[in-house]
Every structure is written in structure tokens, then in C-alpha cells.
Amino acid sequence: MPRRRRLALLGLWLILVGLNLRTVFSSFSAVLSEIRGAAGLPDWSVTVLTTAPVACLGIFAPLAPPLARRFGAERVLLAATGLLTLGLLVRPTAIPGWGTLPSLLLGTAVCGFAIALGNVLLPGLVKRDFPHRLGLMSGLYTTAIVASAALAAGLTYPVLSASGSWQLALGIWALPAAAVAVVFAPLAWTGREPLHTADDDGPRLTRDPIAWHVTLFMVAQAMMSFSVFAWLSPILRERGVDGTSAGLIASFSIVLQMAGSLVAPAIAARLFRQSALNAVVALLTGSGFALCIVGPLGGVWLWSAMLGLGQGALTALALTMAMLRTRDAGTAARLSGMMQGFGYGLGSTGTLLVAQLHAAAGSFVPVAALFAVVGLSAAVFGALSGRRRFVGSAALSTSVDARPLPRG
């Protein structure tokens, strides 16, 4: 296949994979009340089902770079898409004599494993195959990731209303994942170029302050992002918003995330430093989430718009830092594994803290204070990670072999 055609197909594939990486989160939260009532889920299971998927992203993210070096990034990404399809099918299946809880737990864990691989490999593939279009491709695939959450948040409840089956409302999201796996299997199977560094190990990330700044930026971002996916609809419904309107508001917020995630990487790639941009979007996200919880209900569309624009840009910028702060695809994939391993592992505490604070206080009001602090933390580490430096090197301005960051 000619290289240009292969790159075009690869780019389309990465975008479509991204379009399936968040449906598991927002589809469950959109119909959480109905699932609890129909399946009789105990309180502890709701906490686990909203926290475990994000924890799985952190646990399994470090496995992606070595698997990609061994089998090829495209093949591992294909396997991840197949596993995601399987997990989405298993999740709503009832087991005779056991009910739906075991399958919900197992399917959710399988989805978390698959998404962890996809999350890590996408930045490495973009860095490897689109080095002169980092801003464009980062914006497109992160927008697709956000769009997957928007689609699931907006369409899952209407499917349940039309069919009367929460199992169908959850299981239907296996169809697009399966379609992507089948259509792009030939392209993935022939791609065997590994993601590698100049040597086998590359820079030691755990000893690099820049890597830690990017990682902690990701931690704060993940705490807010997955708490939004898991809890925004339940928060609105507790405030008196009906199920359909809560789904529409959550979907509206996530649609605006698409705008933020599309524009922010292109701007970031053209800036000499990204510190101010990272800090502003972090503060916008934290304040928007807090206002959705405690702000006047009449302004909920404005608060959700603030949250959406900020969160979309914040997610995209956190992922883009893995490419802008590294010099090669292998290091980008390894930094992506580190930042997502810690980011989602620690970020999963956000959904857990929301559940615990709500249980202790009987309301979501303390959660507003929590995410105001998390937003401030994201601003601090975003400013540090936005400085013009590379992982494994001194400041770019004093580096002998400094090169301008690619535009695109």
C-alpha cells in the first residue's frame, strides 16, 4: 500500500478507535438510577463500578509500551479494540443464578484493560507517524475520545426509554467497537513497526522532573474528567433535573468538550510555552464543575458550558504534553504509559471521593470544594509541564541540539 494512503487510513483508524474509548463510562452513568432499581445493585457495587474502570486504566497502562515493542503497536491496538467489544457485550449479560452484578464487574474490568492499551498507544502512534501534524492529529483523536463520551451520555437514556431494557442500552455500544475492529483488521495486522527509543530504555522517566510534572498534571485532569463522566448526570438529577434533561445537559457539556479538545492541541503546538494555556483551562474546568454542583440551577447550562470547554481542552492538553515534551515515539509512548498509569490510578480516587463525600454529607456540596482544589492543582502542574523542556534533557533554550517544536 502506498505510504500516503496507509497514513490516511491509519489516521482515520486512530480517530475511530478514539470514538469508542469513553462509551463505557458515560453510558453507565446515564442510566445508573434505572440499573440500580432494576438489578438491585448494592451501594458498594455502585462505588466499584464507577471507580474500577478508571483504576484499571492506571493498572494496565504500563503494559502497553512493552506489548507494542513485542507485537507491534497496530496489532496491540487491534486486540484492544476486540477486547473492548467483548467487555461491552459481557457487561449487561445476566448469569443464571447470579444476576447481572458479576457480568457488570467482569465486563467493566475487561473494558478498562482494553481502554488502557488504547489510551497509551494513540499518542505514540501519532508521534511516530504524524510528527509534523501533532497539533492536528492530537486534536482530532482527543476530540473523538470526547465525542464517544458525548454520544453515550446523550443516546443511552433514549435507547433505554425506547426499548425498556437497560441491557440493550448498554450493550448497543459494542456495535461500533466491533465494526472498527473488523474493518481495520487488515491494516492493523500488516503494521509491525515497533515503538522504540534510540536505545532499549531511553531516559529514566521516574527520575525526570519534567515527566513528573506532566504526570501530576494528568492526575488532576483525570480526577475531574472521570468524575464528570461518572457523576455529572447523577448530580444534576439529585438537584431536581429530570433524567432526559440531565442527559442532555451532560451531553451538551461533553459536546463542548469536543470544541475545546479540537482547538487546544493546535494552539499548544504553536506556542513557545504552554504554561498559561494549561493553567487557564484547568481553572475553568474546576470552577465550572463546582458551579454545576452549588451554583444557581438557572445557570446550569452556562456552568456546564464552562465545564465542557475547559475539560475538553484540559484532557487534550494533558495528552498532548506527552508528545510535546518528548523527542521520539518510543519515549512518548513510555511517558504516556507513566502519566496514564499514575494519572488514572490516582485519578480514580476522584470518583471514589465523590461517592464517599456524598455518603458522608448526604449531598454533593463538599464535592464542589474538592474539585475547586483539584482544579487549582491542575493549574499549578499544568504551568510547570508547559515550560519549553524535553524529557531527558535540559531546558530547550540551553540545549545544544534544540529544535523547534513541530507545527500542525
Side-chain angles (χ1 to χ4, degrees), residues 60-391:
F60 297 120
L63 298 178
L67 287 173
R69 287 194 297 269
R70 174 66 178 84
F71 299 104
E74 293 91 341
R75 291 183 178 183
V76 177
L77 191 59
L78 174 64
T81 310
L83 284 172
L84 178 61
T85 303
L86 178 63
L88 290 168
L89 287 173
V90 168
R91 191 168 59 147
T93 304
I95 301 176
W98 292 85
T100 55
L101 181 56
S103 56
L104 276 170
L105 294 169
L106 177 61
T108 299
V110 172
C111 289
F113 175 57
I115 294 169
L117 299 180
N119 280 345
V120 173
L121 293 178
L122 287 179
L125 284 166
V126 170
K127 182 77 172 181
R128 188 193 73 187
D129 293 314
F130 304 94
H132 302 298
R133 293 290 183 270
L134 289 184
L136 174 63
M137 284 303 301
S138 297
L140 289 175
Y141 92 78
T142 53
T143 299
I145 291 175
V146 172
S148 70
L151 289 170
L155 298 179
T156 302
Y157 190 86
V159 171
L160 182 147
S161 298
S163 66
S165 170
W166 66 265
Q167 289 95 338
L168 178 62
L170 292 186
I172 198 171
W173 297 106
L175 295 179
V180 171
V182 170
V183 171
F184 288 93
L187 176 69
W189 194 251
T190 58
R192 291 180 291 175
E193 183 180 349
L195 296 176
H196 57 80
T197 55
D199 54 50
D200 290 337
D201 298 320
R204 292 200 171 189
L205 301 184
T206 56
R207 297 184 180 181
D208 192 296
I210 301 170
W212 278 112
H213 294 157
V214 174
T215 296
L216 293 173
F217 183 39
M218 186 68 178
V219 169
Q221 182 278 138
M223 287 186 70
M224 290 191 286
S225 178
F226 287 96
S227 296
V228 170
F229 292 149
W231 289 104
L232 181 57
S233 289
I235 286 170
L236 295 175
R237 294 185 71 170
E238 184 170 291
R239 296 196 68 187
V241 180
D242 64 89
T244 300
S245 297
L248 287 175
I249 293 170
S251 184
F252 167 72
S253 180
I254 299 173
V255 166
L256 288 183
Q257 287 188 34
M258 295 168 59
S261 64
L262 181 63
V263 173
I267 296 175
R270 294 176 180 274
L271 292 175
F272 187 80
R273 295 183 180 89
Q274 296 80 32
S275 298
L277 179 63
N278 290 348
V280 167
V281 298
L283 294 174
L284 182 64
T285 305
S287 60
F289 199 5
L291 287 169
C292 282
I293 299 170
V294 297
L297 199 57
V300 68
W301 289 93
L302 175 60
W303 316 143
S304 64
M306 292 171 56
L307 173 61
L309 288 172
Q311 185 66 67
L314 185 63
T315 301
L317 289 172
L319 294 171
T320 303
M321 288 300 106
M323 291 173 276
L324 295 182
R325 298 283 82 86
T326 55
R327 292 187 181 276
D328 60 82
T331 306
R334 289 172 57 241
L335 177 58
S336 182
M338 174 181 168
M339 63 188 274
Q340 294 190 51
F342 282 99
Y344 294 135
L346 297 176
S348 65
T349 61
T351 57
L352 179 61
L353 285 172
V354 172
Q356 296 302 313
L357 288 173
H358 180 260
S363 75
F364 286 106
V365 172
V367 178
L370 169 67
F371 285 106
V373 174
V374 173
L376 181 60
S377 300
V380 171
F381 290 111
L384 291 172
S385 62
R387 294 178 298 174
R388 192 174 173 88
R389 299 165 183 257
F390 282 144
V391 169

